[in-house]
Amino acid sequence: METFLIRALQFILAISILVLLHEGGHLFFAKLFGVRVEKFYVFLDISIGKWKGSLFKWRPRNSKTTYGIGWLPLGGYCKISGMIDESFDTEQIAKTPKPWEFRTKPAWQRLLIMIGGVMVNFLLAFAIYAAIMFNWGQTYYKVSDMKMGMRFSTEAKTIGFQDHDIMLGTDQGQFKEYLNVNGDFFRQIAQAKRVDVLRNGKKISITMPGNLDMLAMIKERPLFAEPYIPARIDSVLKDGIAMKAGIRKGDHILALNGKKIETWTDWNYQIGILNDVMTVKKTTRDSLTIRKAILVVSHTSNHKIDTLRITLDPELKLGVTQSNLASYYQPTVEHYTFLESIPAGFKHGINILGGYVGNFRYLASADGVKSIGGFGSIGGLFPPYWDWYMFLNMTALLSIILAFMNILPVPALDGGHVMFLLYEMITRRKPSEKFMVRAEYIGITLLIILMIVANLNDILRWLNVM
């Protein structure tokens, strides 16, 4: 419960900041051009009966704008006079246009008002990344430094990769880091015509199709490629199953239930199979049978190989800490001065945006639709503890996602309004208000459907149905 609350608090705080600044971008340009803003709300104040839905509201003296906080944390809004938006205030639109209304302003001013929120979100993300670069620098593991190479899936081996190949680069350039939030490593392989590897001290080039499905590469288990991390015990939990069985730090797992284990990838894959079986077998007897395991372990202290019969805990845990990248390799750390951090943060933000845009095309597939996540998935991206580095990284990422999603040419989003404004500026013809209202209804319907699908996916994942 505590973990859930910490994640929920981080999620709500991040969304509050993003919505406040996004809507603040609209507010700034509206006020700049003399457009009246009737309401400025963080979160939605949907009315239920006589209750108006505001947790807090305030209107400054001599101001036409009411500021408030709604009860429903699903975004926010900036209600601008004379604009057809999600409020569907058709009564106001039917009246004679007033000089302080959105619809009476030049198209270029209306365009700036509409892109103000997106601009602020992009600037916020770049500023956060610059601050991260300045305070923490950039830490990552170079792919070329992984001297034990990679462990590859069956599909990868069919193409020509072999376990322990050290990944050097592709026809698009050298690899930098193995994994980051936008999956550059896998995207580079998916789009490559050639991948260069170091095999037994010799450089070898592997011919690639150039159009691999990146989403499938990431979703398949084992992964298409991941660092070769031997199944060596990093530490043993006190009084745990492993300690009672005589397993110690530094020992290697060689087999599980007759299946050869070389890496922690192999171990996690076999445990995943057992977990799937356990999901189907619900009785206590079945569960106990599945949890009984035969381990073959090589002891580091005396080089002796033991066959151990143990019973894993109800979550199929052995009671050990797995070795990881940090157990074998030194990370590369890049530090930046204040002036250096600004272009570095901007470059990193552009890279994240490019990766997100590149991944967006996968949403058109069935697997892409299944990969969409709702509030639960987004909240789960935050760590189960408070960490400013992780919080700022996630807030910057969500700011970029919010900006990109809002600029899509979909009615009801900022991008939909921008699309119609550009049409007006090019053709010198303004879409009719009746058309705009209908487009807004269509856009709202599409967004509601998308929200339902995303959160339904979360529920199905929670129920282990998907």
Side-chain angles (χ1 to χ4, degrees):
M1 187 63 179
E2 182 181 353
T3 295
F4 170 80
L5 291 176
I6 292 174
R7 280 184 165 144
L9 177 61
Q10 292 180 83
F11 173 65
I12 293 173
L13 179 58
I15 291 298
S16 300
I17 293 171
L18 298 180
V19 170
L20 175 66
L21 295 178
H22 178 90
E23 300 302 336
H26 295 309
L27 178 74
F28 171 79
F29 283 105
K31 296 282 189 179
L32 180 66
F33 299 131
V35 177
R36 181 176 295 174
V37 177
E38 298 174 15
K39 296 177 73 174
F40 180 86
Y41 263 69
V42 175
F43 301 153
L44 304 183
D45 61 331
I46 296 176
S47 300
I48 300 178
K50 295 182 178 180
W51 186 50
K52 299 303 181 183
S54 296
L55 299 179
F56 164 82
K57 64 179 179 178
W58 170 66
R59 173 178 288 188
R61 182 177 297 178
N62 301 323
S63 175
K64 300 294 184 180
T65 306
T66 299
Y67 301 88
I69 301 175
W71 66 274
L72 187 60
L74 296 179
Y77 66 97
C78 181
K79 189 177 187 311
I80 298 173
S81 293
M83 175 183 166
I84 298 173
D85 58 12
E86 60 272 18
S87 66
F88 297 108
D89 190 354
T90 53
E91 291 184 9
Q92 185 185 72
I93 299 300
K95 296 178 182 177
T96 305
K98 303 295 191 299
W100 62 77
E101 289 186 347
F102 177 83
R103 54 182 167 165
T104 63
K105 300 299 178 181
W108 68 271
Q109 292 185 2
R110 285 180 278 140
L111 180 63
L112 284 175
I113 292 172
M114 292 316 306
I115 66 174
V118 169
M119 289 171 58
V120 169
N121 281 131
F122 279 132
L123 290 173
L124 173 66
F126 297 147
I128 291 176
Y129 284 132
I132 289 173
M133 297 297 179
F134 178 67
N135 283 280
W136 290 282
Q138 194 171 14
T139 301
Y140 58 92
Y141 290 91
K142 284 185 178 179
V143 175
S144 58
D145 284 347
M146 299 176 187
K147 301 307 179 184
M148 287 186 289
M150 295 278 172
R151 182 67 186 268
F152 296 93
S153 69
T154 301
E155 180 188 355
K157 290 176 180 176
T158 301
I159 294 173
F161 293 99
Q162 293 182 15
D163 288 342
H164 296 293
D165 280 351
I166 299 173
M167 306 290 275
L168 300 177
T170 71
D171 49 310
Q172 303 174 26
Q174 291 184 336
F175 291 115
K176 182 181 178 182
E177 57 182 313
Y178 169 65
L179 272 181
N180 57 19
V181 290
N182 62 350
D184 285 345
F185 176 80
F186 289 106
R187 183 181 304 101
Q188 198 171 338
I189 296 175
Q191 299 173 354
K193 296 290 186 181
R194 184 195 81 245
V195 174
D196 299 323
V197 303
L198 194 65
R199 182 180 299 167
N200 298 323
K202 296 181 179 180
K203 183 179 178 180
I204 295 176
S205 294
I206 299 171
T207 302
M208 302 291 292
N211 59 351
L212 291 177
D213 186 342
M214 176 184 150
L215 191 61
M217 292 169 66
I218 294 175
K219 288 189 67 177
E220 69 174 313
R221 291 295 181 271
L223 282 170
F224 184 91
E226 54 189 320
Y228 194 99
I229 305 295
R232 179 178 66 82
I233 308 297
D234 192 66
S235 63
V236 180
L237 302 183
K238 186 178 180 181
D239 297 327
I241 295 168
M243 179 171 283
K244 292 176 181 178
I247 297 173
R248 297 293 180 262
K249 178 179 180 178
D251 290 353
H252 286 74
I253 298 176
L254 304 180
L256 171 64
N257 293 338
K259 303 294 183 180
K260 185 178 179 181
I261 302 293
E262 290 185 39
T263 68
W264 284 117
T265 297
D266 299 330
W267 171 268
N268 294 330
Y269 180 65
Q270 294 301 326
I271 291 296
I273 293 174
L274 293 179
N275 188 62
D276 290 341
V277 175
M278 246 179 103
T279 301
V280 178
K281 306 290 186 178
K282 294 294 185 181
T283 68
T284 304
R285 171 181 280 184
D286 287 334
S287 173
L288 188 60
T289 301
I290 295 167
R291 287 161 50 200
K292 290 182 178 179
I294 301 175
L295 283 184
V296 179
V297 178
S298 173
H299 298 290
T300 304
S301 58
N302 55 16
H303 304 290
K304 181 182 177 183
I305 295 177
D306 270 346
T307 299
L308 308 172
R309 297 179 181 274
I310 64 169
T311 300
L312 300 169
D313 74 9
E315 294 184 359
L316 301 179
K317 302 293 185 182
L318 181 58
V320 301
T321 302
Q322 300 179 3
S323 55
N324 52 37
L325 280 175
S327 305
Y328 299 97
Y329 307 113
Q330 287 293 323
T332 296
V333 182
E334 296 179 0
H335 296 287
Y336 301 90
T337 65
F338 177 77
L339 292 179
E340 290 172 340
S341 68
I342 297 173
F346 180 80
K347 181 180 178 181
H348 186 67
I350 291 296
N351 183 45
I352 296 294
L353 173 63
Y356 186 77
V357 173
N359 296 344
F360 195 74
R361 66 186 178 92
Y362 293 105
L363 293 180
S365 65
D367 283 340
V369 173
K370 291 179 182 178
S371 70
I372 298 173
F375 300 116
S377 293
I378 298 172
L381 294 174
F382 290 91
Y385 50 86
W386 192 270
D387 183 284
W388 279 110
Y389 175 82
M390 293 293 294
F391 174 77
L392 290 173
N393 254 309
M394 278 306 308
T395 301
L397 174 63
L398 292 177
S399 191
I400 284 179
I401 293 174
L402 178 63
F404 175 73
M405 293 298 292
N406 259 285
I407 205 63
L408 291 176
V410 177
L413 293 177
D414 295 343
H417 292 282
V418 169
M419 176 177 63
F420 294 130
L421 279 167
L422 291 176
Y423 168 81
E424 178 186 342
M425 295 171 76
I426 294 170
T427 64
R428 305 292 181 182
R429 294 176 56 191
K430 199 173 183 179
S432 69
E433 291 171 352
K434 186 176 182 180
F435 170 82
M436 292 293 288
V437 170
R438 288 179 176 175
E440 196 76 12
Y441 274 116
I442 293 173
I444 288 290
T445 302
L446 291 174
L447 293 178
I448 291 174
I449 292 173
L450 179 61
M451 188 178 297
I452 291 173
V453 170
N455 287 284
L456 181 60
N457 283 348
D458 282 351
I459 295 172
L460 293 177
R461 291 188 194 101
W462 181 67
L463 295 173
N464 290 320
V465 175
M466 188 172 67

